Amino acid sequence: GAGVSQSPSNKVTEKGKDVELRCDPISGHTALYWYRQSLGQGLEFLIYFQGNSAPDKSGLPSDRFSAERTGGSVSTLTIQRTQQEDSAVYLCASSSVNTDTQYFGPGTRLTVL
Amino acid sequence: GQNIDQPTEMTATEGAIVQINCTYQTSGFNGLFWYQQHAGEAPTFLSYNVLDGLEEKGRFSSFLSRSKGYSYLLLKELQMKDSASYLCAVRALAGGFKTIFGAGTRLFVKA
């Protein structure tokens, strides 16, 4: 079956612009995670959606970051007024509630000039 | 909160055995994962431990001691393609289940 997909694969933007990153999880997976990974660094947790529960936003670095998940499926991560330090690979993962083994998408490489 | 510690880098020789350690502090522990991440790629699942003991899967084994907050990943018969980052991740019950990743251990396999 199809895995987790993310779009765009690469995004170059100018400082101050808004960007939207999309994640399409594996069908039937109720949990969805967003992470950020800078070059050579580990995964930085951003936000977690589980079913219809309120999302865990504890990892969002500032109020410029927000995410939503419509209909319990596709998720969009929005970064407003981008800064150069936002440059990173943004990874999305989904899992079933039973195992929580996370399946990752290929990521979106964001470059803020 | 949660805290996960693992060495930053390790180097080993092709054909040898290497053990990558991970220690964690968390409340509501509900399982520990190991993921492999090659440079420029997304992480992929390797193993999952929720009970104490050793889980063996081919050349890779993972061990868990819940009382010590300790796990290790054991790689046998190392191959050059095993050069990658190995991420320890802990699942905990914190207002719902959440999985947090450690910073990862970069393993270099040399000939």
Side-chain angles (χ1 to χ4, degrees):
Chain A
V4 178
S5 61
Q6 292 185 244
S7 61
S9 55
N10 278 284
K11 177 72 177 179
V12 180
T13 190
E14 293 178 349
K15 178 181 173 182
K17 301 280 191 183
D18 298 351
V19 295
E20 282 190 355
L21 312 180
R22 176 189 168 104
C23 173
D24 212 327
I26 292 173
S27 177
H29 279 189
T30 57
L32 187 148
Y33 294 80
W34 281 100
Y35 298 93
R36 180 168 70 174
Q37 188 172 36
S38 300
L39 188 63
Q41 303 299 310
L43 298 180
E44 176 188 1
F45 166 78
L46 296 177
I47 188 168
Y48 163 56
F49 295 89
Q50 175 56 273
N52 295 320
S53 303
D56 179 343
K57 304 179 182 180
S58 60
L60 294 178
S62 77
D63 59 7
R64 296 187 295 105
F65 288 72
S66 63
E68 61 177 25
R69 189 178 184 191
T70 54
S73 181
V74 171
S75 177
T76 303
L77 176 69
T78 301
I79 309 173
Q80 295 178 310
R81 305 181 302 281
T82 52
Q83 303 294 313
Q84 288 183 333
E85 60 263 29
D86 299 335
S87 296
V89 175
Y90 289 80
L91 290 163
C92 172
S94 71
S95 69
S96 80
V97 67
N98 295 325
T99 69
D100 205 36
T101 297
Q102 295 184 39
Y103 296 87
F104 284 81
T108 294
R109 182 176 298 278
L110 175 67
T111 303
V112 182
L113 301 176
Chain B
Q2 298 180 60
N3 192 44
I4 301 171
D5 290 309
Q6 47 183 137
T8 304
E9 286 186 2
M10 298 182 71
T11 300
T13 304
E14 192 176 19
I17 298 173
V18 70
Q19 177 174 312
I20 302 174
N21 296 324
C22 171
T23 58
Y24 63 89
Q25 295 94 42
T26 188
S27 56
F29 175 84
N30 198 256
L32 186 143
F33 298 81
W34 284 95
Y35 286 79
Q36 180 190 59
Q37 185 178 27
H38 285 100
E41 298 181 13
T44 56
F45 170 79
L46 286 179
S47 68
Y48 172 65
N49 294 68
V50 66
L51 300 176
D52 291 350
L54 188 68
E55 295 278 344
E56 297 187 75
K57 191 185 295 185
R59 294 190 299 114
F60 292 6
S61 302
S62 57
F63 171 83
L64 175 67
S65 169
R66 288 171 296 171
S67 62
K68 296 182 179 177
Y70 168 68
S71 172
Y72 68 72
L73 180 70
L74 193 71
L75 291 75
K76 304 175 188 174
E77 301 168 17
L78 279 173
Q79 301 175 11
M80 300 298 286
K81 67 178 182 179
D82 296 330
S83 294
S85 286
Y86 291 86
L87 308 174
C88 174
V90 172
R91 184 187 189 204
L93 180 57
F97 289 111
K98 188 166 76 177
T99 301
I100 298 296
F101 282 78
T105 298
R106 273 193 288 181
L107 174 66
F108 298 94
V109 179
K110 59 182 182 179

